[in-house]
Amino acid sequence: MSTAPPAAPPLVSGRIRALILLAASLMLVPVLLGGNAGPAHADQNAPGGARPAPGDAWAGMTIEAHEGRQDAARGALLAPSGPQGIDVSHHQGTINWSNVRGAGVRWAYMKATEGTSFTDGQFDRNYTRSYQQGVIRGAYHFALPNASSGASQAQFFHNNGGGWSADGKTLPPMLDLEYNPYGASCYGKSDSGMVQWIRSFSNKIKNLSGRYPVIYTTRDWWVSCTGNSGAFNSTSPLMIARWSSSPTPLPNWPAWTMWQYTSSGHVNGVGGNVDRDVFNGSLSRLRAFARCTNENPCRVG
């Protein structure tokens, strides 16, 4: 499991500070539009100047700076129908999971690791306390494909919380793939290179945990950085991040399983903003999703 957690940073000096640094750095460089012009993606949209501290990333951190948002007009608290979830990291500080469960949240993902050197300081507490309160929970890994191989990051993730058990209360491990908060948007990789990296991670975490990872991403990032690959649509469930009135599924994916519909939600038990998510199906299907595998499917009554 992860190392002993440091004291949780205040919200303003953590998540908001990192967003300010990211937004400011993006304003210092020109945004170059276009596809893959060579064997590797150019450093378009690469942050310059001040950058977030290593380990400070969270699911959705880079989306607003690159894609904007449309959820403000619809209201962050106007939740779509379906079992409600949240995703969290050390930026939320100490969470009261009893209150979260009482507010109607039925599932949650929490950051465990980033690259091969960072473990989230709140992960152990979040993972244990959420389980104790009956919240179906899982761990996620913030990918840094330019830092090390997919297999090595999968191993680090699994060693520090990224496991799975068929208890009906543990979600499959999740791989967070989004714009690089520390440099080139596609991490300097070609489309095929990125697909190879994801395959290396996916196969390793499947061998270690028994489940292929849920893939968290945005439509624009996936199209830009994998060439709209359909290589994982039969093995990995999709968590689509789109802060708008409806999800936009990936063209080569048959369906979305989870949808992160806002980053500015509010839930009793969590201080400040929190990412809000919804599962595409009933609560019984969510429980089956947590319990069953492609090799050992189960009937949903």
Side-chain angles (χ1 to χ4, degrees):
M1 299 298 291
S2 60
T3 56
L11 185 63
V12 170
S13 63
R15 180 166 181 162
I16 293 177
R17 175 181 57 80
L19 272 177
I20 293 171
L21 288 173
L22 178 62
S25 65
L26 282 169
M27 292 174 65
L28 296 178
V29 295
V31 177
L32 304 179
L33 302 179
N36 188 351
H41 285 282
D43 287 0
Q44 72 259 24
N45 302 327
R51 295 179 180 176
D56 242 8
W58 68 87
M61 176 186 186
T62 63
I63 296 174
E64 183 173 3
H66 290 267
E67 300 182 17
R69 62 187 312 136
Q70 297 84 41
D71 59 339
R74 68 185 289 270
L77 299 182
L78 184 59
S81 62
Q84 293 296 303
I86 59 175
D87 57 270
V88 299
S89 69
H90 63 282
H91 290 287
Q92 275 71 44
T94 301
I95 296 172
N96 185 321
W97 284 100
S98 175
N99 288 351
V100 169
R101 180 65 173 77
V105 171
R106 295 296 177 260
W107 60 277
Y109 269 107
M110 47 215 62
K111 183 179 178 183
T113 53
E114 178 178 327
T116 55
S117 59
F118 178 82
T119 56
D120 191 279
Q122 287 290 331
F123 174 75
D124 287 343
R125 186 183 190 281
N126 285 334
Y127 201 70
T128 301
R129 299 292 178 89
S130 58
Y131 181 90
Q132 291 171 344
Q133 295 301 323
V135 176
I136 302 171
R137 87 290 194 245
Y140 79 82
H141 173 78
F142 194 97
L144 298 179
N146 61 332
S148 54
S149 70
S152 63
Q153 292 193 33
Q155 184 71 63
F156 181 73
F157 179 37
H158 186 264
N159 290 349
N160 292 280
W164 174 77
S165 59
D167 58 2
K169 299 178 181 180
T170 306
L171 295 167
M174 186 169 80
L175 175 61
D176 180 356
L177 292 163
E178 59 181 274
Y179 305 96
N180 184 2
Y182 312 114
S185 296
C186 297
Y187 301 87
K189 291 191 174 294
S190 65
D191 295 343
S192 61
M194 184 64 74
V195 170
Q196 290 170 5
W197 190 94
I198 298 168
R199 181 175 291 113
S200 173
F201 183 99
S202 297
N203 290 342
K204 184 68 171 181
I205 204 70
K206 169 64 163 63
N207 291 338
L208 292 169
S209 72
R211 295 291 295 266
Y212 283 105
V214 172
I215 289 180
Y216 167 98
T217 194
T218 74
R219 185 183 188 279
D220 288 354
W221 186 91
W222 190 261
V223 170
S224 297
C225 297
T226 73
N228 195 26
S229 174
F232 310 99
N233 60 16
S234 64
T235 55
S236 283
L238 173 65
M239 183 168 179
I240 190 74
R242 186 170 189 260
W243 306 337
S244 187
S245 57
S246 63
T248 300
L250 301 181
N252 284 331
W253 231 281
W256 58 272
T257 300
M258 298 163 171
W259 168 27
Q260 185 190 72
Y261 59 87
T262 185
S263 67
S264 55
H266 295 278
V267 172
N268 189 25
V270 183
N273 292 343
V274 64
D275 298 332
R276 296 294 304 269
D277 315 308
V278 66
F279 179 79
N280 188 11
S282 65
L283 184 58
S284 62
R285 288 192 177 275
L286 172 64
R287 289 170 177 152
F289 174 70
R291 186 174 70 254
C292 306
T293 65
N294 292 339
E295 295 82 4
N296 296 294
C298 54
R299 189 180 302 277
V300 179

